[in-house]
Amino acid sequence: MSDFHFLRPWFLLAFVMLAVMVWMLLQEKKTKGVWAKICDPILLPYILIQGKSASRNLALNLFAITISLIILASAGPAWKKLPQALYLKKSPLVIVLDMSRSMLATDIGPNRLARAKLKIKDILDTRKDGQTSLLVYTAQPFVVTPLTLDSKNIKLYINQLKPMIMPVQGSRPDLALAKAAELFKNAGLKKGHILIVTDNLEGNKVLFQAKSLASQGYISSVLIVGTKDGGPIPLRYGGFAKQNGKIVISRAEEDEIKQFTSYSGGRYHSISADDSDIKYLLGKEYAETSYQKIESLKLESTRWIEQGPWLLVIILPFAALAFRRGWLAVFVLLIIPLPEAAYASDKASVKTSSNENAWDKLWLNKDQRGLKAFNQGVHDKAIKEFKSEQWKATSFFRSGDFKKALELYQKDSSANGLYNQGNALIKLGKLKDAIAAYAKAFKINPKHKDAVENHRLASEYLKKLKEKMKNQAAKQGQPGQQSQTGQPSQKSQTGQPGQQSQTGQPSQKSQTGQP
């Protein structure tokens, strides 16, 4: 019994609740003592209606014992171990991904690294139950995830892998192979498969390392990501890598990789659009002939034998006694809900609102509180909260104060800022100024479709408006015609190019970023 312990010891805290319940029941029994102080002892039996004291004591004791046994059973008492054999459904695999800058070459679209990451995801989907690890390397190897059965966990990191996040540059696949073997050994695995995803393997060091690992039971295969024709290596800030004034062309040298696999005992295959590469490199037939079968991955483990269910057998007689007449009343306290506090509706709403405001001030900055009010349509509050002038301008716009919105929009000379100025000018009836603002916006950003469309609609509307005023001027003084002032209707004075233009409401995207 030296190994006795509880698998779920936090369940023992329930004894505190049990003690409170028993104390409450005992207090209820003591009420007789209060009446005894104020009543004559001779009259007391006729005043109090009492059950049999022995029966009540027995019910209380059984209640305490039953709940105690339930708590102990739930805590999971254990003191024996049971040996357990574990089998892995597939052989372990360490995926080694090359993160050197040559992997950014675009001879395979969109680039080598992007295609490699997609292929790794396909491999993980194929090996749903296998032990897999992901390792990346440049001049040094870095472990992304150790050997794990959770392939979903590995997928979380793949999209974030980029050469610019690597602390050093270069290419040392020999060090990556050594790190992969270390992962196998740390997991207690004497054999395993290493899959290198790269565009090339150069140098004698990686050949000698592969041969050494193959002799220890760790074979290495290669997934080639690249073409014989190759492609230039793009630089981070534009242009391509050069050597002696000439652009460097990175090519996949199949002969060198073929020589590598002759040392490593593995296979090689160029990346393909289908799963033929995966089937060839990781196929069942090759797995069974090249490295250990499933049975050789037998691992020894132990688990504790939980003894709690035996306590439930002891509880059954006590539970049967609970159905005796009157004894179920002891358990009423367990199911009576506590009353909730009641509030008047108006006070409750005020309290909720103040709590909400306090909570927002605690966790949100001013721009975030302003955005929350903006999304709720409370633009007056949003104006007060926003520190960002462009968001504040949009709030003025939505609230109908186009003049103040324009004043703030004019502080932004970007394409979006000019586009928003055009929207505000349309609302203020300054059609020509709005057209000029739209023109400046798409001149800065020719891809600003909203500015281009609003400029077209506003220009067409202005042209029609001029023609209409010209026709009205020509008709003045003719018989049967009412006197025309030459003034456009109220609708035309506002400069609205019509409902289709949607110039009155600047889109959320065209305003500012999220605060």
Side-chain angles (χ1 to χ4, degrees):
M1 296 292 288
S2 59
D3 292 331
F4 178 84
H5 68 288
F6 291 99
L7 300 178
R8 296 174 294 276
W10 53 88
F11 273 92
L12 298 177
L13 294 174
F15 276 114
V16 178
M17 185 180 296
L18 175 61
V20 173
M21 292 181 180
V22 172
W23 179 81
M24 292 174 64
L25 293 172
L26 290 174
Q27 289 298 112
E28 187 272 336
K29 288 183 60 178
K30 291 181 180 180
T31 54
K32 175 183 175 182
V34 176
W35 284 97
K37 293 180 180 179
I38 59 176
C39 294
D40 190 286
I42 299 176
L43 298 177
L44 192 61
Y46 300 98
I47 295 175
L48 297 178
I49 300 176
Q50 303 180 38
K52 296 181 178 179
S53 178
S55 176
R56 289 174 59 84
N57 289 337
L58 180 59
L60 181 58
N61 292 335
L62 289 178
F63 167 75
I65 294 172
T66 301
I67 300 302
S68 297
L69 291 174
I70 292 174
I71 294 172
L72 290 174
S74 301
W79 58 85
K80 290 184 180 180
K81 289 183 179 180
L82 178 67
Q84 184 179 18
L86 300 178
Y87 293 87
L88 301 181
K89 295 183 179 180
K90 293 186 179 180
S91 299
L93 173 70
V94 173
I95 301 174
V96 178
L97 176 61
D98 186 355
M99 291 292 290
S100 59
R101 291 195 177 276
S102 63
M103 290 292 286
L104 296 178
T106 57
D107 54 337
I108 297 180
N111 60 50
R112 295 175 181 177
L113 182 59
R115 284 289 298 278
K117 291 194 287 188
L118 290 175
K119 186 60 67 173
I120 291 174
K121 291 181 180 179
D122 292 339
I123 293 173
L124 294 174
D125 291 335
T126 302
R127 294 175 49 83
K128 292 180 180 178
D129 301 320
Q131 276 188 307
T132 311
S133 172
L134 179 60
L135 185 151
V136 298
Y137 75 92
T138 50
Q140 296 178 10
F142 301 92
V143 177
V144 179
T145 61
L147 283 165
T148 177
L149 294 173
D150 187 5
S151 59
K152 293 182 180 179
N153 186 43
I154 301 177
K155 286 184 179 181
L156 294 175
Y157 299 97
I158 293 178
N159 291 335
Q160 311 304 322
L161 297 176
K162 299 177 182 178
M164 58 278 301
I165 69 172
M166 304 300 288
V168 293
Q169 294 300 320
S171 182
R172 289 292 303 273
D174 55 312
L175 298 180
L177 289 176
K179 177 62 72 172
E182 183 181 333
L183 290 175
F184 287 128
K185 293 175 182 177
N186 290 341
L189 300 171
K190 297 181 179 180
K191 294 184 178 181
H193 191 191
I194 302 171
L195 177 62
I196 306 175
V197 184
T198 183
D199 52 8
N200 204 359
L201 291 172
E202 298 177 351
N204 293 327
K205 290 183 179 180
V206 68
L207 297 179
F208 295 145
Q209 184 67 57
K211 186 174 182 179
S212 173
L213 294 183
S215 65
Q216 300 175 45
Y218 307 117
I219 67 169
S220 304
S221 297
V222 182
L223 177 63
I224 307 174
V225 188
T227 62
K228 293 181 179 180
D229 296 333
I233 303 173
L235 298 177
R236 184 174 184 180
Y237 298 106
F240 298 98
K242 295 182 180 181
Q243 187 174 12
N244 298 327
K246 296 182 179 180
I247 295 177
V248 177
I249 301 298
S250 173
R251 296 181 174 87
E253 301 294 343
E254 187 174 335
D255 293 337
E256 293 183 354
I257 293 176
K258 183 178 180 180
Q259 183 184 12
F260 171 84
T261 54
S262 67
Y263 280 81
S264 68
R267 292 179 172 184
Y268 72 92
H269 197 289
S270 296
I271 193 168
S272 62
D274 55 17
D275 60 351
S276 58
D277 48 359
I278 299 177
K279 289 181 179 179
Y280 180 77
L281 295 172
L282 305 177
K284 180 179 179 182
E285 178 182 354
Y286 180 69
E288 291 181 350
T289 56
S290 300
Y291 51 94
Q292 75 278 20
K293 297 182 181 181
I294 296 174
E295 290 77 14
S296 64
L297 282 175
K298 180 178 178 182
L299 302 174
E300 292 295 331
S301 178
T302 58
R303 66 179 181 87
W304 291 98
I305 304 176
E306 186 174 348
Q307 307 294 338
W310 294 107
L311 294 176
L312 298 178
V313 177
I314 302 174
I315 292 172
L316 292 177
F318 296 100
L321 288 173
F323 287 93
R324 291 186 57 183
R325 182 180 178 183
W327 283 23
L328 286 175
V330 177
F331 298 92
V332 171
L333 286 176
L334 295 177
I335 59 174
I336 295 178
L338 294 175
E340 297 183 359
Y343 300 95
S345 59
D346 57 341
K347 292 183 179 180
S349 61
V350 172
K351 182 178 181 180
T352 302
S353 177
S354 62
N355 289 340
E356 182 179 356
N357 291 336
W359 183 263
D360 287 347
K361 290 181 179 180
L362 180 62
W363 296 106
L364 303 179
N365 60 33
K366 289 183 69 65
D367 280 334
Q368 289 170 332
R369 295 198 298 269
L371 181 60
K372 182 177 181 180
F374 181 88
N375 291 333
Q376 293 173 348
V378 189
H379 300 298
D380 292 340
K381 181 179 178 182
I383 292 169
K384 296 178 181 179
E385 294 287 358
F386 274 129
K387 292 180 66 177
S388 169
E389 291 186 340
Q390 294 304 302
W391 273 108
K392 192 185 292 289
T394 304
S395 300
F396 275 121
F397 189 98
R398 293 291 177 88
S399 65
D401 194 339
F402 307 116
K403 186 175 181 180
K404 289 185 178 179
L406 178 61
E407 291 176 359
L408 293 176
Y409 281 143
Q410 288 175 337
K411 296 182 179 182
D412 183 4
S413 58
S414 67
N416 282 340
L418 290 166
Y419 168 72
N420 292 334
Q421 291 174 35
N423 291 337
L425 289 166
I426 286 287
K427 286 292 188 179
L428 293 171
K430 300 179 180 180
L431 191 56
K432 291 183 179 180
D433 293 339
I435 294 172
Y438 290 138
K440 291 179 182 178
F442 68 73
K443 185 177 181 180
I444 295 174
N445 182 11
K447 295 182 179 180
H448 201 304
K449 296 180 180 180
D450 291 334
V452 173
E453 180 66 11
N454 280 9
H455 180 271
R456 182 185 66 82
L457 293 171
S459 298
E460 291 177 357
Y461 184 78
L462 180 61
K463 183 178 179 181
K464 292 179 181 180
L465 188 62
K466 289 181 177 179
E467 291 178 356
K468 182 178 179 181
M469 295 177 66
K470 184 178 180 180
N471 293 335
Q472 288 176 345
K475 291 180 181 180
Q476 284 183 355
Q478 294 184 7
Q481 295 291 334
Q482 294 181 356
S483 176
Q484 299 290 338
T485 63
Q487 291 292 336
S489 64
Q490 180 64 29
K491 181 177 181 181
S492 66
Q493 288 178 348
T494 61
Q496 290 281 10
Q499 186 174 359
Q500 183 182 2
S501 69
Q502 298 178 352
T503 58
Q505 294 291 338
S507 65
Q508 182 70 19
K509 181 178 179 181
S510 67
Q511 300 301 322
T512 60
Q514 289 281 14

